[in-house]
Amino acid sequence: MKNKKWGLLIGLIFLLVLSFGKLATIYGEFLWFKMMTYSSVFWTILFAKGLPGLVFGIVFALIAGLNIYLARKMGPTKTHWELSIRGQGQNPAQVIPIKPEYVNKFLIVICLVLSLIMGIWPAMLKWDEFLRFLYQTPFSGLDPIFHKNIGFYVFSYPVYVFLQKWLFYGLVITTGIVGFIYVKDQAMNIKLGAFMFTRRAKTHLSLLAGFILILIAWDRRLKMLGLLYSPRGVAFGASYTDMRAQLVAYWIIAIIAAVCAFIFWINISSKGWKWPLGGVATLFALSVLVSGLYPWALQKLVVEPNELTKERPYIDYNIKYSRLGYNLDKIEESDFQASTNLNLGDIQKNSLTLKNVKLWDKSPLRQTYSELQEMRLYYKFVSVDEDRYTLNGEKTQVMLSARELDQSNLPSQAQTFENRHFKFTHGYGICMSPVNNVTKKGLPNLVIRDIPPVSETTLDITRPEIYYGEIGNEFVVVNTKTQEFDYPKGDSNAYTRYEGKGGVSIGSYLNRLIFSIKFSDPKIFLTGYITPKSRIMFHRQIRDRVKTIAPFLTYDRDPYVVVSETGRIFWIQDAYTTTDKYPYSERFALYFEQQTSYQTPLKLFAGQKLRPKMINYIRNSVKIVIDAYNGETNFYVVDDEDPIIQTYQKIFPHLFKPLAEMPETLLAHIRYPRDLFEIQANMYQTYHMRDAQVFYNKEDLWDLPVQKSLSGQIESPMKGYYIIMRLPARTSEEFLLMVPFTPDNKSNMIAWMCAQCDGPDYGKLLVYKFPKEKLIYGPRQIEARIDQQTAISSELTLWSQQGSEVFRGDLLVIPIEESILYIEPVYLIATDQSSLPELKRVIVAYGEQIEMEKTLSAALQKIFGKGTAEAFSPKLEPRFDQGQIKDRSISELVRKADQYFQAAQKSLREGNWAEYGRYQEQLQEIIQNLVESSEEK
């Protein structure tokens, strides 16, 4: 007896510890949401998860518990159950009697465990659908078959499908338990060819079987509506066979299932099981014949010999609704002549476009940034972003990257609790370079660089610290008794204290205990560094941060860094509203957004593999702005006509803000997201065809051009790229995202597509089609023509033979007036010295001419004659007069030379020869720059 009590006490203590740990985690998250001013979001999501879980768990407990109680109550009086244990070797099997009170306790435990699972299923995976169902906003259109509002399929249909499945599995599980009880109580005995039931057992099981059959009938009714997502026909959605055969089959099965249910109920007062079993057999046979063989025969014998005639109206539906689902119906199409009569006047007229041709690809530029500007091993440039800024009065396309701190790159001896959580808390500054500015050595011209940040433009960095970024670092605590590392400064370091409002207060002992439990680290509670003003920062990675606040949105892969006019650093993250329930719209797999789908409670804990998220409707409805210093996160609604975001605005009224409230300095930097653009471009390859016959025959199928990778070994589809250019018949340049198209399985170009990013035209999609009777070279054909140029290929081969690696960058297709220019950068990496990519040549193709020169200006001059250089040359007006610039540059070079010398000496003393060699190379480069600057002066 004492052992039982001790076991019960230990079990209770274990449950209390688990419960307290979970409560501490929830409370810690609440404090974070409260600090973010989103406590209403926290409570809404918590109740949306907890309430359905509680309700469904209680409902199942009532259903299962009542039926178990009735089964035990109505069965024969039994003193015990018998448990048979197989004997070892020749030993006979042992039969152990189980007392009725233990049987009842066992059944109660089973019921509670199953209730927990049946409650967790909707709580974990369906809370979002319940909220959208309750607050749904109608769409503007109806489906073409059943004439229901599209909002019904997006918001209501998934909930009805879930309810049917939940009730079905709940009743099946309950029926299985009840049947097991009757067998063990000897109220039911099933043998081959004979069934033995007591009257009460038969009544009970017949009622349950009838309800299961009613749910099967409801399932077939829902499957009728689900035909709008059928993949059977030549186009996604209900096909001729679905509407003429499958729909009829579902009606027949639904009616037979309902009839069978009534037969089970009527048979309660009759002897035997002849009619119920006959009904079930009929249902099964008809399911095979009517739902399987009949649609198959109709498809093979009637539809396929006359497929276009039969499927034409359904193809039209698919085209219409796919274009609506991906917002392709708003694309404006125009003709583009693709003439070859460009002249010097046209070049001068489009000088801003040529000044902003992107000569730096992201991969070599990030490598260059890392080599020149990471300064220390723990700094890291995660990605390079593209944007446009007004630098010294001129619109300029730039590449920029945030210098983040990666705690995992701290030396092993520095991986202490203090360093990870109190000292090394933030990154510092950014690098920025115009997309086509190159130094004499073929390196990017860094207009913002170094630590502390040095700017050669009117754009200054006033708050360079980066506490929130793309790297998933651990939590940090600020305003402690120890100062934070700010940035390296020669042999010493600069230190700082946090002056912002980010993070949750951790000054009280209660909060320290809460976060010690939340992060499973008792040092948080025990450390003496924390003060009453200390604040703990977590959810510091951009993607984790926004998904924690709004897990119901789909997020773009590339949050990008922005510098405001006041010199603060922000991140902008694009977010999408999506669904896979838009009728007749073709589905698309989002491989960058994976999910786990659990259709049954039995698979809830089975550890299914992640699979791509399927969608057939998408809108870029939200843009999120995150302050890199304070962590302040604001959600702005971009597409207020989207019914899904309107629904979420009802659910979370304090989360979303109108786009008009975004500060002007940030509004100028919103851009059309590349992920959405690539999805739309992929869908438009097929869905630019609006005629059903053309669509069926795939007569005009498009594709994305294929181009070689940097190494030239791998070919991959061309991705969209940002560019500043003037559209045909427009008077000014604008920031665009564009990509060309080619015919399927061909290399010539047939059209190009762009998305506007500026001002009131933001979000408009335009397609310019080339004349079909004219040959317009595609990227692959231009690459082949470049390879055939003896002068070019021999020079590239010579570099390769001299121990250098030659990389050709992305080939850019650039529309100028009604003509097309092709521009490709060439990079060189000296493998025997360093891995620093240098831009050595620029290849320009126009018409039948191809030229490769040291600069874009020189290549254009070869084609269009003198005067091109003056029209093209980037003219970033200096922030200071020439004397000031030279003096300032020399001063900075001297400072950096001293910095690298001191760092090299320190590395020498520590025996770190690799780092010593790197600093020596950087020092040598600085000295060379000093010599050149002195000679110029």
Side-chain angles (χ1 to χ4, degrees), residues 515-526:
F515 287 109
S516 292
I517 296 171
K518 175 177 171 59
F519 294 110
S520 302
D521 194 337
K523 295 188 186 73
I524 298 175
F525 184 79
L526 299 174

Side-chain angles (χ1 to χ4, degrees), residues 379-394:
Y379 284 131
K380 185 175 183 179
F381 292 104
V382 178
S383 64
V384 177
D385 300 315
E386 300 169 64
D387 204 348
R388 70 288 196 198
Y389 287 80
T390 301
L391 300 181
N392 302 332
E394 188 169 62

